[in-house]
Amino acid sequence: MSLYGAFERLLLLGIIASSPIVFSAAYTRYMYNRIAFGGSLAKLIRISVPDLNKREFYILLILVFFTILLGIYPTYILDGLHYSVSSLIYNS
């Protein structure tokens, strides 16, 4: 929401504000590839993680569903907060 406001106010400010997120994601992907696929740190990790069982998969699926739903359409949460936030702003 704050990045949306930054883009709405000034495009250059929005680009500057969102650039650390892009760089962080790129660096995380780079480090994951080095660790998981034979980089210099891969020899330090010898833990074998088993696959998910059905129960864990369904719990993860539900969490991913709600994350995507509220990321695309956050009005379900924001409508409930509208009255209290508005009264807080107008009474201050």
Side-chain angles (χ1 to χ4, degrees), residues 52 55-67:
L52 296 173
R55 179 181 56 93
E56 293 169 340
F57 175 75
Y58 288 129
I59 291 172
L60 183 65
L61 189 65
I62 291 169
L63 292 174
V64 167
F65 172 74
F66 281 115
T67 302

Side-chain angles (χ1 to χ4, degrees), residues 6 9 17-18 27 30 34 36 38 46 48 54 59 76 86 88:
R9 177 81 172 137
S18 63
Y27 182 72
Y30 167 75
R34 288 194 53 178
R46 299 275 185 214
S48 174
K54 285 185 180 183
I59 291 172
Y76 293 120
S86 296
L88 181 68

Side-chain angles (χ1 to χ4, degrees), residues 10-42:
L10 184 64
L11 182 64
L12 182 62
L13 179 65
I15 292 170
I16 291 171
S18 63
S19 63
I21 296 171
V22 173
F23 290 136
S24 174
Y27 182 72
T28 301
R29 184 170 179 197
Y30 167 75
M31 286 305 297
Y32 175 76
N33 283 335
R34 288 194 53 178
I35 291 170
F37 300 117
S40 61
L41 300 176

